[in-house]
């Protein structure tokens, strides 16, 4: 099936702006035809986002491609943010681990220079939560995007009402360069209809990370319509609700492949169209109660070599924390240590947030109190930190189901993480079992 291109798009494919741009458009055409797209649609979001932010030494084809694009004038038509950096000297690491990082990410500085030439927003643009107001890459309702970062895609689609497929790395950049993307999947009205109805029937407020995990593992790449969360979240998309949905969506996207969900009476399309307008005929039903969440959580494997070990490092925030979450975690850690009669965190602890969010936290009284506990605020990508044999063997704790899925880190709920950090052990019900 041939793609129906506009005269302008065809001209680009034919080389009107050089061979590099022609190659970009040819790739997008081939990509779209794989998924049955009939035409291209304009990218309307103000800014793009790039998931490949790490200068791994073995990614030579990526660096060669960036040089070819820049030399051919095929730079991004819109500024873009990028996923977090893989390195931060403030994050605890032993000398051997730092040597491994230096070798693994030996191209980081060179790659960031390439990204700058391609249209990177700036040094504060490295975060997986580019949609945070402090970052400046928050799309509007109905905007068509060319992104790949799974947690950002699901948030933009679901909470902000933008339209974006779960693209691959580099393909997302091609969409920003060309200014258009193939129309299929989550860019279409039909592709955004729910094929699952998820009925949340819990007696206790569901942990967003476990709820998202359960949804993702059941519906996989399909679209769920979630009912029953209004009991705890209400009917207003305030910042606290957005934070809950951010973490739930990231878990659904990583434990499955969810790119869009609707929450009854809360997310934009659910408010506008309702269940009758969004749920496809024959949709499957998944009922989630407290027992189901416990079943899901108890099935998480423990990847530590010695499960009884005490964690040597704890990451809080993957995706990056919002400003409200960062402030809340700071207060909880400080108050938890006081209650435990301790002054310093009992497990080396890293809280991650976007550079702009972390910078706004610096210099505050809360930041000074947190620093006195030994906890570190960083804009690192926890996954990139763990993505090597030395760090991968360490017993690490996290409150992120995304990080648990992509690394050997062990999942603990927020309350259990707080107990680990302030008392040196999780509570009796928690992740110690």
């Amino acid at each position: 099936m041939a793609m129906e291109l506009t005269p302008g798009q065809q001209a680009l494919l034919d080389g009107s702006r050089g061979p590099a741009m022609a190659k970009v458009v040819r790739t997008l055409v081939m990509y779209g035809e794989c998924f049955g797209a009939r035409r291209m649609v304009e990218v309307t979001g103000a800014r793009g986002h790039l998931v490949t932010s790490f200068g791994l030494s073995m990614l030579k084809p990526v660096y060669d491609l960036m040089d070819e694009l820049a030399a051919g004038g095929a730079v991004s038509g819109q500024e873009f943010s990028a996923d977090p950096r893989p390195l931060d000297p403030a994050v605890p690491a032993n000398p051997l681990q730092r040597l491994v990082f230096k070798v693994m990410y030996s191209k980081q500085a060179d790659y960031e220079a390439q990204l700058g030439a391609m249209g990177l927003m700036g040094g504060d643009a490295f975060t997986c939560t580019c949609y945070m107001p402090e970052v400046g890459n928050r799309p509007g309702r109905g905007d068509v995007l060319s992104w790949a970062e799974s947690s950002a895609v699901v948030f933009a689609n679901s909470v902000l009402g933008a339209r974006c497929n779960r693209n691959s790395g580099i393909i997302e950049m091609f969409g920003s360069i060309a200014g258009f993307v193939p129309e299929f999947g989550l860019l279409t009205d039909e592709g955004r209809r729910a094929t699952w109805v998820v009925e949340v029937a819990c007696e206790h407020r569901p942990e967003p990370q476990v709820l998202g995990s359960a949804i993702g593992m059941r519906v996989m790449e399909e679209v769920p319509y979630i009912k029953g969360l209004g009991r705890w979240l209400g009917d207003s998309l305030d910042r606290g609700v957005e934070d809950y949905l951010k973490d739930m969506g990231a878990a659904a996207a990583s434990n499955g492949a969810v790119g869009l969900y609707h929450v009854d009476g809360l997310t934009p399309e659910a408010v506008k169209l309702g269940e009758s307008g969004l749920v496809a005929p024959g949709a499957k039903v998944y009922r989630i109660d407290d027992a189901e969440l416990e079943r899901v959580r108890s099935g998480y494997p423990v990847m530590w070599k010695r499960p009884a070990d005490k964690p040597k490092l704890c990451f809080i925030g993957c995706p990056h924390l919002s400003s409200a979450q960062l402030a809340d975690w700071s207060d909880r850690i400080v108050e938890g240590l006081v209650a435990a009669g301790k002054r310093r965190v009992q497990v080396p602890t890293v809280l991650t947030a976007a550079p702009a969010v972390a910078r706004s936290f610096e210099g505050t009284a809360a930041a000074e109190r947190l620093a006195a506990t030994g906890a570190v605020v960083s804009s690192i990508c926890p996954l990139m930190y763990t993505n090597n044999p030395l760090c991968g063997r360490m017993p690490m704790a996290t409150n992120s189901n995304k990080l648990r899925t992509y690394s050997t880190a062990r999942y603990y709920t927020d309350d259990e993480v707080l107990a680990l950090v302030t008392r040196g052990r999780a509570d009796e019900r928690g992740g110690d079992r």
Side-chain angles (χ1 to χ4, degrees):
M1 180 178 62
M3 184 84 70
E4 299 170 3
L5 300 180
T6 67
Q9 293 164 355
Q10 185 65 51
L12 292 177
L13 181 60
D14 292 340
S16 66
R17 285 184 50 191
M21 179 64 83
K23 187 182 293 186
V24 166
V25 177
R26 187 179 309 116
T27 304
L28 290 172
V29 169
M30 294 170 65
Y31 175 51
E33 287 178 342
C34 285
F35 291 93
R38 297 294 302 270
R39 64 172 186 165
M40 298 289 183
V41 290
E42 181 185 358
V43 173
T44 60
R47 293 184 168 93
H49 185 77
L50 187 66
V51 73
T52 49
S53 60
F54 37 90
L56 280 169
S57 54
M58 72 277 292
L59 292 183
K60 186 176 184 300
V62 172
Y63 312 136
D64 291 345
L65 173 64
M66 291 296 183
D67 284 340
E68 180 182 352
L69 292 171
V75 298
S76 179
Q78 52 181 192
E79 288 187 320
F80 60 89
S81 51
D83 261 20
R85 291 183 169 105
L87 301 172
D88 183 349
V91 174
N94 62 44
L96 185 55
Q97 288 170 336
R98 294 197 187 282
L99 178 61
V100 170
F101 292 149
K102 184 176 181 181
V103 173
M104 283 184 63
Y105 300 112
S106 60
K107 298 292 292 181
Q108 188 66 31
D110 294 339
Y111 184 46
E112 289 188 20
Q114 288 182 314
L115 296 182
M118 292 298 295
L120 183 69
M121 288 168 55
D124 274 0
F126 290 92
T127 176
C128 52
T129 55
C130 57
Y131 46 80
M132 290 293 174
E134 296 88 346
V135 179
N137 189 3
R138 189 177 176 93
R141 189 171 302 181
D143 275 342
V144 174
L145 312 177
S146 182
W147 293 3
E149 161 56 46
S150 63
S151 66
V153 167
V154 72
F155 186 91
N157 274 324
S158 310
V159 180
L160 301 181
R163 295 197 167 198
C164 185
N165 281 315
R166 279 183 55 135
N167 300 300
S168 66
I170 303 301
I171 283 287
E172 58 186 335
M173 171 66 79
F174 285 5
S176 290
I177 292 172
F180 50 80
V181 289
E183 184 183 43
F184 67 91
L186 299 178
L187 300 188
T188 69
D189 290 343
E190 185 62 27
R192 297 177 73 84
R193 298 189 72 187
T195 52
W196 281 87
V197 174
V198 176
E199 299 175 347
V200 179
C202 300
E203 293 301 319
H204 307 282
R205 184 178 187 264
E207 194 81 16
Q209 300 278 357
V210 182
L211 177 61
S213 172
I215 293 170
M217 287 193 286
R218 178 59 63 91
V219 311
M220 297 306 291
E221 79 284 0
E222 296 186 59
V223 178
Y225 188 94
I226 306 168
K227 302 170 63 175
L229 277 181
R231 175 178 176 184
W232 294 280
L233 302 185
D235 58 4
S236 177
L237 270 176
D238 58 29
R239 290 294 299 274
V241 171
E242 284 193 4
D243 289 342
Y244 184 100
L245 297 180
K246 166 179 74 76
D247 293 337
M248 183 192 79
S254 57
N255 286 207
V258 175
L260 164 68
Y261 58 82
H262 304 289
V263 179
D264 187 50
L266 191 58
T267 52
E269 286 160 278
V271 171
K272 180 180 179 180
L273 301 174
E275 182 176 1
S276 62
L278 279 177
V279 177
K284 299 173 283 289
V285 177
Y286 177 33
R287 186 177 185 276
I288 299 178
D289 56 17
D290 296 309
E292 174 65 0
L293 291 183
E294 181 61 25
R295 182 196 67 80
V296 169
R297 172 153 178 209
S298 65
Y300 297 158
V302 177
M303 305 295 287
W304 296 355
K305 184 176 181 180
R306 293 181 295 273
D309 280 357
K310 179 181 178 180
K312 292 185 178 180
L313 187 63
C314 179
F315 276 109
I316 299 173
C318 177
H320 280 168
L321 300 171
S322 70
S323 56
Q325 288 177 311
L326 182 56
D328 180 63
W329 268 108
S330 175
D331 290 343
R332 293 184 71 188
I333 290 172
V334 171
E335 293 167 5
L337 288 171
V338 171
K342 302 181 186 300
R343 298 178 59 188
R344 306 277 292 183
V345 291
Q346 301 301 291
V347 176
T349 302
V350 180
L351 295 86
T352 66
V357 172
R359 192 177 64 249
S360 67
F361 183 68
E362 291 175 3
T364 65
E368 293 175 2
R369 289 193 298 269
L370 181 66
T373 71
V376 172
V377 176
S378 172
S379 296
I380 198 173
C381 174
L383 174 59
M384 291 298 101
Y385 176 96
T386 63
N387 194 23
N388 66 82
L390 288 180
C391 293
R393 287 196 294 266
M394 286 174 54
M396 284 181 286
T398 184
N399 70 332
S400 166
N401 227 318
K402 179 177 182 178
L403 183 58
R404 175 200 69 82
T405 304
Y406 294 145
S407 73
T408 60
R410 192 170 179 175
Y411 174 76
Y412 294 87
T413 67
D414 286 356
D415 288 343
E416 291 162 0
V417 163
L418 183 64
L420 277 171
V421 169
T422 59
R423 294 191 284 116
R425 59 182 180 83
D427 63 24
E428 293 180 359
R429 182 189 174 282
D432 281 344
R433 62 176 183 276

